[in-house]
Amino acid sequence: MSSTPWLSIIGLGEDGVEGLSPAARALLEGAEAVFGGARHLALAAGHLSGSAHPWPSPMLAGLPALLARRGRPTAVLASGDPFCFGIGATLARHVGPGEFLCLPAPSAFALACARLGWAMQDCATISFCGRPLERLLPLLQPGARLLALSADAATPAQVAALLCRHGFGPTRMVVLEALGGPRERRHETKAEAFAHAPDPLNMLALEVVAGPAARVLPLAPGLPEAFFEQEGQITKREVRAVTLAMLAPRQGELLWDIGCGSGSVAIEWLLRHPANRAIGLEPRPERAAGAARNALALGVPGLRLVRAAAPEGLAGLPAPDAVFVGGGGGQPGVLEAAWQALRPGGRLVANAVTIETEAVLYAAHARWGGALTRLGVERLDRVGTMHGFRPAMTVTQYVAEKPWAEAGAAAAMASPLAVAGLGARPGVSAAAIVALVREAERRSGLAVGALAAPWFRREVPALAEAAATLGVPLHWVEEEALKAVQPRCPTPSEAARRATGYAAIAEGCALALGGRLALPRITGEGVTCALSLEE
């Protein structure tokens, strides 16, 4: 493939083409086709020599038409900085860094800071475009400055109502409309007095002020039980704080919360960093529904809930970085399934209050090592007309970190991991890919450590989903590498050649990353798979 970028991603402000640099204007005017929103295309009207392509709704439906132009001069118009809550990151998932050139304009956040005299590094940023308003709640710290992109003209009033419901009515709100263009204007008020009909193109600047009844989310773990909707099935805040410390959340990691009940541990995990992910396993529908409401009320609506019991409900879930077993730990196979799924270096934390579950934790300690701790909490309570400390049930906590190379798996670790080369149809499902990779592992006796797919299937989301489910990286095989290994592929397909120009895609992708073929092509539903190993 050519190393010359064929795609120009051009940031456009409300001042239109006049605000573009000479280089950006030249790329726009030289493009054979220009993709963008109707507003952006209207701003650039009169400067397009190529065809205009408004994004459909949903926008992702327009990506195949864009990607079909690979190799020909094409431009995409975006608001301000395309990589600041914009289309840039979406395009970069489908187009390699050498294929595009991005020329950003000042972002709406940069313009807002310039108008208000705020330092960007002191502000938190958020977008409400396609995202729940509740994501704002963890950011509501007294004195905080927040910048938020609105979805439409209704967003500012909705944010004002949210602030008032949670006790932040005195918060200063500045609505900045059509920044950088001739229609720019500004409206300032308090959330509790908001009454304004803004332009649909607007953003918000907030200076947070907490009222007397505001519920400010503490930055430390161990939220009060009163913050959660629950029926007593909740890890007490003191034990929860210790549990979170033992789980040791890190940016972007995934937690399994098995028997999540009210969802308190998973929710606090998500509150530690906005990139964190959590899956709660809860078989009782009413508790799962309550956990979902708690997650929304506490500003982490991304909590994924699976209404099933362990270990059966764990099948097919993406591999976790940490597992908390708060309920059901005494059931046969639960800890074993969690330990097997856990990534190397991951943490397993299990709490028990019954002697039956304690026995399971003792066995786990004997098998995997780790640490056992007993946690006792006593709280002041009334005793008749006097007071005394009433103890809660003692919690036995098991903590273990999965080693990178377990002694019990030495034989498996001694063998190199295989690369699974994949040929996939555009409509293939992630489940079909995962099933075929598992079948390839079964037939070969090898463990797959990476997936490899051809560059022209970057727009197939199931490939990335399958890699996430399997817990392995996904590599894209470029044209030159796929072409070079075709003579070494033992089972060429004329149908594949007619459809793609290559007779052996799965085997070719496997050989491009590995030294020798360990399993020739096998076929599944919309997908083919072959395995290779380094020589």
Side-chain angles (χ1 to χ4, degrees):
M1 296 182 67
S2 171
S3 61
T4 302
W6 60 273
L7 179 63
S8 303
I9 308 174
I10 300 171
L12 193 66
E14 282 299 290
D15 51 357
V17 175
E18 289 72 18
L20 294 180
S21 68
R25 186 178 299 194
L27 288 170
L28 175 64
E29 294 174 348
E32 295 177 2
V34 180
F35 291 73
R39 181 172 62 86
H40 296 128
L41 293 173
L43 286 170
H47 295 268
L48 307 183
S49 59
S51 56
H53 299 264
W55 290 122
S57 180
M59 191 207 71
L60 290 179
L63 283 182
L66 172 68
L67 297 173
R69 298 192 52 81
R70 194 176 242 112
R72 291 180 286 172
T74 305
V76 169
L77 292 175
S79 295
D81 183 351
F83 281 89
C84 182
F85 290 103
I87 194 175
T90 299
L91 294 175
R93 288 195 290 269
H94 300 274
V95 181
E99 297 183 78
F100 70 84
L101 177 66
C102 180
L103 294 92
S107 68
F109 296 142
L111 292 173
C113 286
R115 301 295 188 269
L116 298 169
W118 291 3
M120 175 74 79
Q121 66 271 17
D122 295 333
C123 300
T125 58
I126 191 171
S127 172
F128 296 128
C129 300
R131 298 171 175 87
L133 296 181
E134 285 79 9
R135 289 185 181 272
L136 181 65
L137 297 176
L139 303 177
L140 296 179
Q141 298 293 318
R145 286 178 168 176
L146 313 177
L147 300 171
L149 299 175
S150 292
D152 50 36
T155 302
Q158 293 168 349
V159 170
L162 179 74
L163 292 168
C164 291
R165 283 199 305 273
H166 289 270
F168 294 90
T171 293
R172 176 193 176 202
M173 292 183 64
V174 183
V175 184
L176 300 158
E177 305 171 39
L179 278 170
R183 298 183 297 110
E184 179 177 327
R185 62 176 180 165
R186 166 178 171 173
H187 177 79
E188 182 173 337
T189 185
K190 291 183 178 180
E192 58 198 7
F194 187 86
H196 178 58
D199 187 277
L201 182 62
N202 72 82
M203 68 168 297
L204 293 170
L206 307 176
E207 279 190 312
V208 180
V209 180
R215 191 175 74 171
V216 180
L217 294 181
L219 298 179
L223 296 179
E225 286 98 58
F227 278 28
F228 299 90
E229 174 189 328
Q230 42 97 11
E231 299 175 350
Q233 297 298 317
I234 186 171
T235 303
K236 298 298 185 285
R237 66 182 301 187
E238 296 88 353
V239 175
R240 196 179 335 119
V242 174
T243 299
L244 264 292
M246 295 300 103
L247 287 169
R250 300 164 189 167
Q251 177 179 334
E253 288 190 328
L254 171 65
L255 170 75
W256 285 0
D257 185 349
I258 298 175
C260 74
S262 65
S264 62
V265 171
I267 288 168
E268 294 225 37
W269 169 279
L270 292 171
L271 285 170
R272 303 282 69 78
H273 195 279
N276 284 4
R277 297 162 294 141
I279 299 174
L281 208 71
E282 176 52 61
R284 299 179 183 177
E286 67 281 3
R287 289 185 182 172
R293 290 191 293 269
N294 284 331
L296 187 65
L298 292 167
V300 286
L303 172 61
R304 175 184 169 189
L305 288 156
V306 176
R307 295 184 181 181
E312 296 80 11
L314 303 176
L317 298 181
D321 301 287
V323 176
F324 172 60
V325 183
Q331 297 300 314
V334 172
L335 286 189
E336 289 78 3
W339 184 260
Q340 183 178 9
L342 194 62
R343 293 180 186 273
R347 289 82 62 202
L348 171 66
V349 179
N351 291 350
V353 294
T354 67
I355 57 174
E356 290 79 7
T357 306
E358 276 191 358
V360 174
L361 300 190
Y362 296 151
H365 180 265
R367 182 177 179 184
W368 301 317
L372 281 166
T373 306
R374 277 197 163 164
L375 305 173
V377 176
E378 298 182 9
R379 292 180 177 175
L380 189 67
D381 197 2
R382 293 190 65 87
V383 182
T385 59
M386 306 180 76
H387 294 81
F389 284 93
R390 194 179 300 278
M393 293 186 72
T394 299
V395 175
T396 300
Q397 184 174 85
Y398 173 60
V399 179
E401 181 174 313
K402 189 172 184 178
W404 286 91
E406 295 183 66
M413 296 299 292
S415 300
L417 295 175
V419 172
L422 300 173
R425 294 178 182 173
V428 68
S429 69
I433 297 172
V434 171
L436 192 61
V437 171
R438 295 300 191 204
E439 174 62 16
E441 289 180 320
R442 187 190 67 79
R443 293 192 191 187
S444 66
L446 298 170
V448 168
L451 305 184
W455 86 96
F456 55 80
R457 291 293 188 237
R458 280 192 174 98
E459 72 275 14
V460 177
L463 289 164
E465 292 171 15
T469 299
L470 293 164
V472 299
L474 171 63
H475 302 282
W476 298 111
V477 177
E478 298 298 334
E479 183 177 16
E480 293 83 355
L482 185 58
K483 186 183 298 183
V485 298
Q486 289 299 297
R488 298 170 53 198
C489 298
T491 62
S493 164
E494 189 57 36
R497 189 194 306 276
R498 288 195 301 269
T500 67
Y502 298 93
I505 296 175
E507 292 172 346
C509 288
L511 288 170
L513 268 70
R516 64 178 177 86
L517 204 63
L519 178 71
R521 170 172 57 89
I522 61 174
T523 303
E525 187 175 348
V527 59
T528 56
C529 178
L531 302 186
S532 68
L533 284 172
E534 292 186 7
E535 293 180 313

